[in-house]
Amino acid sequence: MQVLARRFEMSEKKAVILLSGGLDSATVLAQARSEGYACYSMSFDYGQRHRAELRAAGRVARQLGVVEHKVIGLSLDGIGGSALTDASIAVPEIPGEGIPVTYVPARNTVFLALALGWAEVLEAHDIFIGVNAVDYSGYPDCRPAFIEAFERLANLATKAGVEGRGFHIQAPLQNLGKAEIIQAGLRRGVDYGLTVSCYQADEEGRACGKCDSCRLRAAGFAAAGVADPTRYI
């Protein structure tokens, strides 16, 4: 029995999922699971002001049945430069021009690098990330060109990649609008009431209803014709 169990473990299709606790990452996790992956989710306690998202990530991981959920501690607040990691910078509550101050420098590069390390340890060849280039805030590390470039890097910079057992960075939501993302998640059983998207959610996970993330989320539920389960302050 132990030999059979080990053979199954070695042959199962594994994926590492970046799970923030928000709407998009929950949808990506559900999609990976629906495609038959054994899912290993990874979240980051990086000094963000909206730490309620970490509790949301744990709830989503349990609801969607991941094999293992890791929370990795970082100190991106030590670098600063973002309204999400520096309390002295206000989170914008009206739309603006250009890349917003909620952009966290190099965040997705760092997150994907750590997910890549875990994937190599697990002998997983797929990493899922919930970036979107349609209904999004304009962050440069959410664009298809970034994902393509990181996949090339992943296959150059790892033992597995050099030996021909490389990696695929999957970003299945990149070309979907928020309403399409919500509909896809509902078809796969996501409970969006468990998620937190707000950039300045309170300790209970209640949303401000004013930040860019809240506006995109609310518009998505309205466009999808679905009741918004978000709890607001």
Side-chain angles (χ1 to χ4, degrees):
M1 290 295 292
Q2 288 181 335
V3 173
L4 290 174
R6 178 58 181 161
R7 284 178 181 170
F8 176 75
E9 181 183 324
M10 292 175 67
S11 65
E12 70 179 347
K13 186 170 67 168
K14 300 176 184 177
V16 173
I17 320 295
L18 289 177
L19 183 64
S20 69
L23 184 154
D24 294 340
S25 67
T27 306
V28 163
L29 171 56
Q31 178 160 337
R33 189 186 66 163
S34 74
E35 293 176 7
Y37 287 94
C39 295
Y40 295 76
S41 56
M42 177 176 273
S43 303
F44 298 92
D45 186 352
Y46 62 93
Q48 66 269 51
R49 68 166 75 210
H50 53 312
R51 293 187 74 254
E53 71 173 3
L54 292 172
R55 291 186 287 279
R59 294 192 296 267
V60 171
R62 288 189 293 273
Q63 191 239 337
L64 294 177
V66 304
V67 178
E68 184 178 355
H69 177 62
K70 283 186 182 293
V71 178
I72 304 296
L74 299 171
S75 297
L76 296 185
D77 54 330
I79 297 170
S82 169
L84 300 192
T85 57
D86 184 342
S88 70
I89 303 174
V91 172
E93 295 187 348
I94 57 173
E97 297 293 327
I99 298 171
V101 295
T102 50
Y103 162 69
V104 180
R107 179 176 60 179
N108 283 345
T109 305
V110 173
F111 288 0
L112 279 171
L114 290 167
L116 175 62
W118 196 23
E120 190 164 26
V121 169
L122 292 169
E123 298 184 2
H125 301 289
D126 293 270
I127 299 170
F128 283 77
I129 182 171
V131 293
N132 178 262
V134 179
D135 289 337
Y136 79 125
S137 298
Y139 301 152
D141 55 0
C142 289
R143 297 174 300 156
F146 167 73
I147 297 300
E148 292 164 7
F150 192 92
E151 183 174 291
R152 291 195 299 272
L153 178 150
N155 289 304
L156 286 170
T158 57
K159 180 177 182 287
V162 169
E163 293 178 348
R165 297 173 290 107
F167 300 92
H168 181 35
I169 311 300
Q170 300 212 36
L173 309 185
Q174 276 201 326
N175 299 312
L176 300 181
K178 197 67 74 179
E180 294 174 291
I181 293 169
I182 290 167
Q183 290 163 344
L186 291 174
R187 288 195 300 270
R188 293 170 173 84
V190 176
D191 179 356
Y192 287 116
L194 301 177
T195 65
V196 170
S197 300
C198 179
Y199 290 149
Q200 47 190 354
D202 68 10
E203 283 298 309
E204 296 178 30
R206 295 178 301 181
C208 71
K210 300 174 183 177
C211 69
D212 193 36
S213 186
C214 278
R215 290 194 300 270
L216 288 169
R217 179 180 170 114
F221 279 109
V226 176
D228 184 353
T230 306
R231 296 179 300 124
Y232 291 98
I233 297 171

